[in-house]
Amino acid sequence: MIIVERRTNELDDLYRNHAVALTRLAHVITGSNAVAQELVHEAFIRYTRARDVREPAAYLRTILVNLARSEERRSSRPLPRPAQARFEEPSIDETWQAVQRLPEKYRTALALRYYADMSEAQMAEHLGCRPGTVKSLVSRGLDLLRKELAP
Amino acid sequence: MTELEARLRATYRAVAEQTLVAAEHPPLHVVRPVPLPERVSRYRVVIGLSVAACLLAALVVTLVTRHPDAPSSGPSHRTVAVPIFVPEGFAFKEAGSGASIGLWGFNGSFEGSLVEYVKGGTAGLVVASAADTGPRPAAGQHTVTLLSGARASVTSDTSDTWIAWSQPDGPIVSVRGWGLTEADLIDIANNLWYVTPAMFERLTAHGGFMSPADSNRLRDGWRAAGTQHSAIGVRGSLQTGLSIALDSNWGLDSVTGDCRATNWSDGTPGLVLLGPGTTSEFALTMSDGSVVRVPADPHPGLPTLAITTVRATGGTLECLDGGS
């Protein structure tokens, strides 16, 4: 019983400390705030089922990135984005719309690099690929984004 | 940092600032067990013991009379498709069920199940299935006939290919792959094991892992009617890979649609006959020219594989489909 209580309190703390950052990360990857909330919820559920997690925050982030990537693939259509964010600054609005048009793998790579500020090694770990592949994903993602934004 | 990179960072910051976070749930409360009253009436104890005895007796009768290898359910209850063949280098990633999902090639969303395998960051495949029997797949770019006889629609875009079909007397299924050829996906579609939700839960209970003993055990074992020889089933785990196996000493790498025979596993004279799922009857021509015809009696969870057993030692085998 004591173990259960400790686990529950730990989960409360973890949620309080990391839910915001995780939801933001999932939002910039998936482009949907609603989907991001669901994925964060699912990541926490998976965390509660996991055993011997040494770094809970890192574990949650890895699970979340995997869920975000899977979510896009398992849907037969683009993810629902009923409340597409609009921004007052036209260049930001235009950039965000262009990012949404990129294929999933490039969107994820750009979000991890330029939002989460991950190193290539960290990205490789999260994406399950070699650092060289990460470099090429980011580079190709920027190229595609540049083309999307070209007049 | 280039102008584009700076613009991207500013965009992400703006998006993050607008992100709404799900309302924090109230703290979870631990439910403490309430101790039973110290005095339990004798009457209740007698009833309790009687019920327990009846349940135990029923369990014993079931275990004694049940065919030891009988598959637990017929095709209509096998609503989850699980790949038993994945290309070289693919590793299990995740599996789950219960969520509302879109199945590629079908319109709408369904309460379904998913199994995903990946190969590094370069290739992957997802098998999605749902119990709904009504929906038909949308027209794809072309159609193929699977070894079970199901007609599947095939669609490709720049990076992915997906195959969708309604399994006769079974679930709707969609297999999507990236970094894979259409032929690879058809092989995967022809090597699906259809299981009940309860069987799927056991397969996924520990992240797809199983103990070595459980992993080596023949699951969903099935024998042709009237024989005690050669149970066919599935061995392995999602993490270590699944394969079709015949008792303990023989197995299939994948279902290819070949028409072939192998000896009974216990060494007594007899043959296991195997063919594509569309086979309705096997014709075995003996050395003296006589022909033995045996109806195919397929395993309910492996519809692309027709199988039966015959008490014979050799001959020329032909697999006859329903139209022959």
Side-chain angles (χ1 to χ4, degrees), chain B residues 25 33 44 66 68 94-95 109 118 128 207 213 225 254 256 263 266 278 305:
Chain B
H25 298 288
R44 279 189 182 178
R66 174 177 172 266
E94 64 177 335
S109 59
V118 291
S254 67
T256 57
N263 293 323
D266 63 359
T278 49
L305 185 68

Side-chain angles (χ1 to χ4, degrees), chain B residues 27-262:
Chain B
L28 300 172
H29 295 288
V30 177
V31 177
R32 293 178 184 280
V34 179
L36 286 170
E38 285 182 9
R39 287 175 59 84
V40 180
S41 79
R42 187 168 295 171
Y43 178 66
R44 279 189 182 178
V45 171
V46 170
I47 289 182
L49 288 175
S50 304
V51 170
C54 288
L55 289 174
L56 185 63
L59 181 65
V60 168
V61 169
T62 305
L63 289 175
V64 167
T65 56
R66 174 177 172 266
H67 191 298
D69 294 302
S72 58
S73 191
S76 60
H77 296 108
R78 293 170 179 267
T79 55
V80 185
V82 176
I84 45 175
F85 164 76
V86 293
E88 190 72 26
F90 275 68
F92 173 72
K93 185 180 177 192
E94 64 177 335
S97 60
S100 181
I101 56 170
L103 262 70
W104 306 282
F106 289 91
N107 294 318
S109 59
F110 309 90
E111 192 83 4
S113 305
L114 292 158
V115 185
E116 182 172 1
Y117 283 78
V118 291
K119 183 179 182 182
T122 60
L125 70 97
V126 180
V127 174
S129 49
D132 303 61
T133 52
R136 313 294 304 173
Q141 288 157 350
H142 63 276
T143 58
V144 293
T145 303
L146 302 179
L147 294 175
S148 63
R151 295 283 292 168
S153 70
V154 183
T155 313
S156 296
D157 63 15
T158 50
S159 60
D160 294 16
T161 300
W162 55 97
I163 304 177
W165 72 97
S166 298
Q167 185 61 33
D169 198 23
I172 55 171
V173 189
S174 182
V175 178
R176 182 170 184 135
W178 54 100
L180 286 166
T181 65
E182 181 184 322
D184 290 332
L185 289 177
I186 291 171
D187 274 348
I188 292 160
N190 278 327
N191 284 274
L192 294 178
W193 175 27
Y194 294 87
V195 299
T196 63
M199 292 160 75
F200 187 60
E201 200 174 315
R202 284 197 289 277
L203 282 172
T204 56
H206 305 290
F209 284 102
M210 281 190 186
S211 68
D214 263 355
S215 188
N216 286 329
R217 189 164 63 81
L218 193 73
R219 294 179 163 266
D220 206 10
W222 172 93
R223 285 179 177 140
T227 175
Q228 289 300 306
H229 305 278
S230 302
I232 194 160
V234 176
R235 199 187 304 283
S237 70
L238 290 171
Q239 287 283 1
T240 57
L242 297 163
S243 63
I244 297 175
L246 192 69
D247 289 337
S248 58
N249 56 1
W250 179 89
L252 275 180
D253 289 335
S254 67
V255 177
T256 57
D258 292 342
C259 189
R260 58 178 166 176
T262 185

Side-chain angles (χ1 to χ4, degrees), chain A residues 13-132:
Chain A
D13 291 344
L14 205 59
Y15 190 86
R16 256 183 232 112
N17 294 335
H18 298 286
V20 173
L22 289 170
T23 310
R24 287 175 169 175
L25 176 60
H27 188 177
V28 299
I29 293 175
T30 64
S32 165
N33 200 156
V35 171
Q37 290 179 351
E38 281 181 23
L39 296 184
V40 170
H41 183 68
E42 176 64 24
F44 274 91
I45 287 175
R46 294 195 184 197
Y47 170 75
T48 60
R49 292 176 186 157
R51 290 181 178 183
D52 301 329
V53 177
R54 290 184 183 175
E55 294 180 38
Y59 178 87
L60 281 166
R61 197 164 57 172
T62 303
I63 291 286
L64 186 74
V65 171
N66 282 334
L67 286 171
R69 301 180 73 198
S70 303
E71 183 68 25
E72 186 85 354
R73 286 172 180 154
R74 69 181 56 163
S75 172
S76 57
R77 293 160 301 286
L79 290 169
R81 296 187 177 97
Q84 182 68 272
R86 303 295 297 186
F87 301 92
E88 289 179 7
E89 172 63 52
S91 75
I92 287 182
D93 201 37
E94 188 189 8
T95 310
W96 182 232
Q97 304 300 327
V99 167
Q100 299 310 294
R101 293 193 291 273
L102 298 181
E104 174 274 325
K105 57 185 177 182
Y106 300 116
R107 232 178 32 241
T108 305
L110 292 180
L112 296 182
R113 180 73 192 90
Y114 295 106
Y115 173 70
D117 276 327
M118 285 188 190
S119 67
E120 283 173 4
Q122 288 172 314
M123 286 175 66
E125 200 174 317
H126 277 76
L127 298 174
C129 59
R130 294 191 303 269

Side-chain angles (χ1 to χ4, degrees), chain A residues 24 27-28 85 87 92 96, chain B residues 10-19:
Chain A
R24 287 175 169 175
H27 188 177
V28 299
F87 301 92
I92 287 182
W96 182 232
Chain B
T11 301
Y12 284 142
R13 273 199 303 276
V15 172
E17 281 166 14
Q18 285 202 359
T19 302

